[in-house]
């Protein structure tokens, strides 16, 4: 974390552009102490916070690790719900916690929580999603 180089406003710096989503040449627009706070993109002219490209490079790896965790949790849920009957997901369907559902777009999922009278949280392979599901009125 120690940077010996001191930055100055107006100096050129490589930052991830939050608009272009690329590591591009930027001009330092503001400093907080010795830390670069704001930069202006030379490509789109956007003024935004400084995003160190070196720290951003780790992001895909971090994301992959997070995704693996999500998938492992999902597999465990699927296994624990394996004895249940798979139900196709529909808006009109009424699902309970731990129900195994088959979604046309997201695939197999397990209901992890009922959030409100018409919303459920479902764990799918690529993460948790909130779906519509009306609680059945008895
Ligand atoms: Zn830009």
């Amino acid at each position: 974390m120690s940077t010996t180089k001191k930055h100055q406003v107006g100096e050129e710096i490589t930052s991830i552009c939050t608009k272009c989503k690329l590591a591009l040449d930027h001009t330092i627009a503001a400093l907080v102490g010795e830390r670069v706070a704001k930069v202006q993109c030379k490509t789109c002219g956007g003024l935004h916070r400084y995003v160190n490209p070196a720290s951003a490079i780790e992001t895909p790896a971090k994301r992959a690790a997070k995704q693996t965790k999500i998938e492992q949790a999902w597999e465990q849920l699927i296994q624990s719900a394996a004895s249940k009957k798979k139900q196709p997901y529909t808006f009109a369907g009424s699902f309970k916690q731990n129900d195994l559902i088959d979604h046309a777009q997201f695939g197999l999922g397990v209901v992890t929580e009922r959030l409100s009278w018409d919303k459920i949280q479902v764990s799918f392979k690529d993460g948790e999603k909130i779906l519509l599901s009306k609680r059945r009125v008895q």
Side-chain angles (χ1 to χ4, degrees):
M1 273 299 283
S2 61
T3 42
T4 46
K5 193 176 169 247
K6 282 184 184 171
H7 294 292
Q8 283 184 333
V9 171
E11 198 182 273
E12 198 173 285
I13 193 168
T14 305
S15 167
I16 301 289
C17 175
T18 56
K19 289 195 182 97
C20 308
K21 313 281 182 204
L22 291 167
L24 293 164
D25 287 343
H26 284 69
T27 308
I28 298 172
L31 295 167
V32 174
E34 288 178 7
R35 194 173 57 82
V36 181
K38 274 210 156 89
V39 291
Q40 184 162 26
C41 178
K42 287 189 171 186
T43 306
C44 72
L47 197 67
H48 54 82
R49 74 191 165 86
Y50 169 63
V51 183
N52 187 340
S55 68
I57 283 165
E58 290 169 23
T59 310
K62 280 182 191 164
R63 200 180 294 147
K66 197 178 159 204
Q67 185 57 31
T68 305
K69 269 189 189 170
I70 290 169
E71 281 184 29
Q72 281 170 350
W74 170 81
E75 274 171 20
Q76 280 190 348
L77 279 169
I78 292 292
Q79 275 171 17
S80 66
S83 61
K84 301 211 172 190
K85 196 170 160 269
K86 194 165 72 183
Q87 303 177 72
Y89 172 77
T90 63
F91 293 116
S94 179
F95 305 100
K96 301 187 300 296
Q97 201 169 335
N98 299 323
D99 273 0
L100 189 63
I101 64 168
D102 191 6
H103 193 281
Q105 191 186 342
F106 308 126
L108 270 186
V110 176
V111 181
T112 51
E113 203 180 343
R114 172 162 286 281
L115 300 171
S116 67
W117 71 276
D118 67 344
K119 284 185 185 74
I120 50 170
Q121 187 166 286
V122 185
S123 175
F124 289 105
K125 195 174 183 174
D126 55 349
E128 293 203 305
K129 311 226 181 287
I130 292 164
L131 301 177
L132 281 174
S133 163
K134 286 187 180 159
R135 179 180 280 158
R136 187 165 289 150
V137 182
Q138 300 284 333

